[in-house]
Amino acid sequence: MDSPNENENQSIQYWKDRATYLKHELEEFTESSHQLEQELEYQLKLKEEQIRELRLKLNKQQQENEMMRLKLIKSENEITQLDGRYQSEKREKEEMHKYTRENMWTRLLPLDSKIITQPSWGYQRPATWMRDSTLVSFVKLSVNSAIILPDSLT
């Protein structure tokens, strides 16, 4: 049988071996944690750099967005102004056409003409006369229309 000293020696040896094993495990764990920490710090630096680059891109995009928004507002204002000018020109053109239509006949009339109004129920013979070497002919088509005749025809 084993003597008590031998058991004690085996117990001491067991605990020494166990301590050596655990010390070795601790060193491996410490080394792997140190490597993991370095790897995580490297990844952290990469992610911080990516974040910084993305923030720069975001700022650039926000500036471009603001510039485009201002251009859009400017373009909308220009369109509004051009539309206003177009409407004004259109009204002026319509007024000029109306003025021309109303006043064209008086410019074509002989100096001694009269305007008479009489009912009309269909086509009538055109009234024709000369003024400034221009042959002018009128045909009445409406129910109540004006006939412009020179005094010599009335």
Side-chain angles (χ1 to χ4, degrees):
M1 268 192 84
D2 291 333
S3 68
N5 274 344
E6 216 175 282
N7 275 341
E8 225 177 83
N9 283 340
Q10 284 180 347
S11 179
I12 290 173
Q13 186 59 40
Y14 169 79
W15 287 113
K16 280 184 181 178
D17 291 343
R18 181 83 175 140
T20 305
Y21 172 77
L22 291 175
K23 186 176 181 182
H24 178 68
E25 288 289 319
L26 177 64
E27 288 173 0
E28 284 183 10
F29 178 77
T30 306
E31 185 179 325
S32 66
S33 341
H34 182 68
Q35 289 175 353
L36 181 61
E37 182 181 3
Q38 287 178 343
E39 185 178 325
L40 290 174
E41 284 179 5
Y42 177 74
Q43 289 179 359
L44 178 65
K45 285 180 184 178
L46 289 178
K47 295 301 178 185
E48 286 174 346
E49 182 66 26
Q50 286 178 343
I51 290 171
R52 189 180 68 79
E53 289 174 5
L54 289 173
R55 284 189 177 147
L56 289 174
K57 285 182 181 180
L58 176 65
N59 288 338
K60 183 179 176 181
Q61 292 296 320
Q62 286 174 338
Q63 289 173 351
E64 287 180 16
N65 187 28
E66 183 65 19
M67 287 176 26
M68 296 301 281
R69 189 182 66 79
L70 293 174
K71 283 183 181 180
L72 177 64
I73 291 171
K74 182 180 176 184
S75 296
E76 287 173 346
N77 290 340
E78 288 177 9
I79 289 171
T80 303
Q81 289 175 352
L82 289 173
D83 188 50
R85 282 180 38 199
Y86 168 74
Q87 295 300 331
S88 174
E89 294 287 329
K90 185 178 175 182
R91 277 192 304 278
E92 188 175 319
K93 179 184 172 188
E94 288 171 358
E95 289 172 7
M96 291 178 89
H97 280 283
K98 182 179 177 183
Y99 175 80
T100 303
R101 281 191 304 271
E102 290 173 355
N103 294 316
M104 177 177 70
W105 304 116
T106 56
R107 282 184 265 138
L108 293 174
L109 293 176
L111 297 176
D112 60 345
S113 44
K114 293 181 184 176
I115 298 177
I116 57 172
T117 303
Q118 66 181 21
S120 166
W121 299 104
Y123 292 99
Q124 293 185 357
R125 275 182 50 191
T128 306
W129 64 90
M130 298 290 290
R131 175 159 187 213
D132 299 330
S133 302
T134 304
L135 179 64
V136 179
S137 181
F138 297 94
V139 177
K140 294 190 327 173
L141 299 173
S142 64
V143 173
N144 269 327
S145 62
I147 302 173
I148 305 169
L149 299 172
D151 282 337
S152 60
L153 296 176
T154 56

